[in-house]
Amino acid sequence: MAVSKFTPVYKETHSLSSQFSSLTETSVFNSRICFSHPLPRPHNAARVFCSVSQNELQAPVAAQQNDTPKIKHECFGVFCVTYDLVAEEETKSWKKLINVAVSGAAGMISNHLLFKLASGEVFGPDQPIALKLLGSERSFEALEGVAMELEDSLYPLLREVSIGIDPYDVFKGVEWALLIGAKPRGPGMERAALLDVNGQIFAEQGKALNAVASRNVKVLVVGNPCNTNALICMKNAPNIPPKNFHALTRLDENRAKCQVQIFPSMKILFLQGFYSCNASYVFLQLALKAGVFYDKVSNVTIWGNHSTTQVPDFLNAKIGGVPAKEVIQDNHWLENEFTQKVQTRGGALIKKWGRSSAASTAVSIVDAIRSLVTPTPKGDWFSTGVYTTGNPYGIAEDIVFSMPCRSEGDGDYELVEDVIFDDYLRARIKKSEDELLAEKKCVAHLTGEGNAYCDLPGDTMLPGEM
């Protein structure tokens, strides 16, 4: 492998994305870190100031005298200097820079996720990345700290970091938008109120994506209630294909990958590294019951809403290539204990840990992205919340519903058609469908479909919304 020699030079800089579109054996790369400082602008927007301009290199902490308010310019190492990158074979394998936006970037989930993105774990070891971090005025200093930690981590693939509080600035040209930031549900807050408060956030972010993001941006909504927030975001971004919007239900597959309840026959499995497993919780439950390791379990789907009406599908699941119901001949366990454990795992984690999941949520985001950028193993599938219009299952159209998908690894997906249903599965799916249709009516004022009417069928909030 070629060794890259980095020598600082002072010369005119160019856009990094254009640099990667025409690599030569000796090229000039601009790595920079940008900070968005609040200034008097309409609607409390923010303007982005970059340490490196298009025409000159600024000193690391240079204050300029002009008529505008004095702004403190911050630079952190390699993101502020233009380098003459001398590289031979290695640069030929590097891909065009990918721009990834993350909202709620100063939060706990992002604290785990951003370093996975920067390291190459998500998009690959030869994929340079620019991180665009969206926060609030209250979290702005924390965002600066996040940027400092990213710089201190010396990730060679991380070519640019910018932070801001205005989605119209942060989302410019992004190819992926990971929308994590949302308000938690406070004491006494009804689910309908949470839908309205967070719905307004995602309506605004949808408008910003529609205005400035790549036309083929992939959007993954994590902030709860994520299915309906994804629908709101999509409805406010009519220039982006509806198929590009996802709600994170992979967390419901991956929620608690290594449960503490180990049966005596499984103790040796724990000692051999069970604590570092990569299976979904659904996989794990079936594996434990069947007495096999989790890598023998496949074809598991989470149907419906990211709530307690979610439907973990054991009918289509396989264990060692054999239908799970043929291996586990215990319908009562499958329909009751198994389903309940999956639906309530978040609450059990909070009871033990004292807070909702962050690291495992970040892992599930990584899994969700990788399922779209790497080909699905033959015969298998994955779960993600997507737009139902045109679905082959008879599920109500015009909502975001978790369903089984396959991908060729190009960022796109197709719904799986070779699934089977029984009366039990259809009844459970119908319950989650009814809930999402009710949520849709509750946010009609945010989707451009008239006045809102809230009549939610009970409170099915997941503990993580608190």
Side-chain angles (χ1 to χ4, degrees), residues 40-105:
R41 289 181 66 194
H43 310 295
N44 294 321
R47 180 173 293 140
V48 174
F49 290 87
C50 298
S51 300
V52 179
S53 72
Q54 291 298 317
N55 298 312
E56 63 180 354
L57 179 72
Q58 296 177 350
V61 190
Q64 296 187 0
Q65 300 296 327
N66 50 41
D67 295 331
T68 61
K70 291 184 178 180
I71 301 298
K72 182 181 179 183
H73 291 264
E74 299 276 5
C75 292
F76 297 95
V78 297
F79 295 112
C80 294
V81 183
T82 301
Y83 291 89
D84 183 11
L85 177 62
V86 180
E88 298 173 358
E89 296 176 4
E90 187 173 9
T91 57
K92 295 177 183 178
S93 69
W94 285 354
K95 302 175 182 177
K96 181 181 177 181
L97 183 78
I98 187 170
N99 294 280
V100 180
V102 180
S103 75

Side-chain angles (χ1 to χ4, degrees), residues 102-121:
V102 180
S103 75
M108 288 298 296
I109 295 172
S110 294
N111 190 49
H112 294 278
L113 175 65
L114 292 173
F115 299 89
K116 294 178 179 292
L117 291 167
S119 70
E121 180 179 338

Side-chain angles (χ1 to χ4, degrees), residues 103-104 109 178-184 191 194-195 198-199 201-202 205 220-233 246-248 251 305-306 361 365 464-465:
S103 75
I109 295 172
L178 313 179
L179 306 184
I180 299 172
K183 292 185 178 180
R191 185 174 173 89
L194 183 69
L195 281 164
N198 280 334
I201 294 172
F202 288 92
Q205 291 181 358
L220 178 60
V221 175
V222 180
N224 283 318
C226 64
N227 290 61
T228 297
N229 285 340
L231 181 70
I232 293 167
C233 191
H246 297 257
L248 183 72
L251 174 61
N305 199 6
H306 180 62
T361 302
I365 295 170
E465 292 179 9

Side-chain angles (χ1 to χ4, degrees), residues 116 126 430:
K116 294 178 179 292
D126 60 348
K430 183 65 167 59

Side-chain angles (χ1 to χ4, degrees), residues 210-221:
N210 193 63
V212 301
S214 163
R215 295 303 81 187
N216 196 37
V217 62
K218 303 297 189 294
V219 183
L220 178 60
V221 175

Side-chain angles (χ1 to χ4, degrees), residues 303 313 315-316 392-393 395 419-423 425-426 429:
W303 297 89
D313 179 0
L315 180 64
N316 288 281
Y393 314 119
I395 295 169
V419 294
I420 58 176
F421 296 89
D422 61 9
D423 291 342
L425 182 57
R426 285 202 178 278
I429 287 175

Side-chain angles (χ1 to χ4, degrees), residues 218-422:
K218 303 297 189 294
V219 183
L220 178 60
V221 175
V222 180
N224 283 318
C226 64
N227 290 61
T228 297
N229 285 340
L231 181 70
I232 293 167
C233 191
M234 183 196 76
K235 292 289 186 178
N236 284 276
N239 295 332
I240 299 171
K243 196 176 182 182
N244 288 17
F245 289 82
H246 297 257
L248 183 72
T249 56
R250 188 60 168 267
L251 174 61
D252 300 307
E253 284 188 20
N254 289 7
R255 184 135 222 173
K257 301 178 178 177
C258 301
Q259 71 157 335
V260 179
Q261 183 183 356
I262 304 298
F263 298 124
S265 61
M266 302 296 284
K267 285 182 179 178
I268 184 65
L269 189 60
F270 180 82
L271 294 174
Q272 290 175 345
F274 200 56
Y275 58 88
S276 62
C277 60
N278 279 323
S280 70
Y281 185 57
V282 180
F283 284 17
L284 182 57
Q285 283 294 311
L286 293 174
L288 285 173
K289 184 66 175 179
V292 301
F293 202 46
Y294 55 81
D295 63 349
K296 302 297 183 185
V297 185
S298 64
N299 302 86
V300 177
T301 306
I302 295 292
W303 297 89
N305 199 6
H306 180 62
S307 74
T308 56
T309 68
Q310 65 182 252
V311 186
D313 179 0
F314 52 81
L315 180 64
N316 288 281
K318 295 180 181 179
I319 300 173
V322 179
K325 289 190 71 174
E326 294 182 18
V327 178
I328 303 173
Q329 298 182 9
D330 186 345
N331 259 15
H332 182 270
W333 181 86
L334 288 168
E335 293 180 3
N336 295 281
E337 186 175 347
F338 163 71
T339 299
Q340 183 182 17
K341 280 186 176 182
V342 176
Q343 292 174 337
T344 61
R345 181 64 177 197
L349 186 148
I350 290 173
K351 186 176 180 180
K352 296 287 185 182
W353 189 224
R355 59 191 182 194
S356 60
S357 57
S360 58
T361 302
V363 169
S364 72
I365 295 170
V366 170
D367 289 343
I369 298 170
R370 289 171 65 180
S371 290
L372 293 169
V373 299
T374 56
T376 305
K378 186 176 181 180
D380 206 354
W381 58 67
F382 59 91
S383 302
T384 182
V386 292
Y387 195 46
T388 55
T389 295
N391 79 87
Y393 314 119
I395 295 169
E397 300 203 337
D398 203 32
I399 55 177
V400 172
F401 201 88
S402 185
M403 299 181 284
C405 299
R406 292 190 178 112
S407 176
E408 296 293 330
D410 57 359
D412 201 356
Y413 66 91
E414 295 294 336
L415 293 175
V416 176
E417 296 194 14
D418 51 329
V419 294
I420 58 176
F421 296 89
D422 61 9

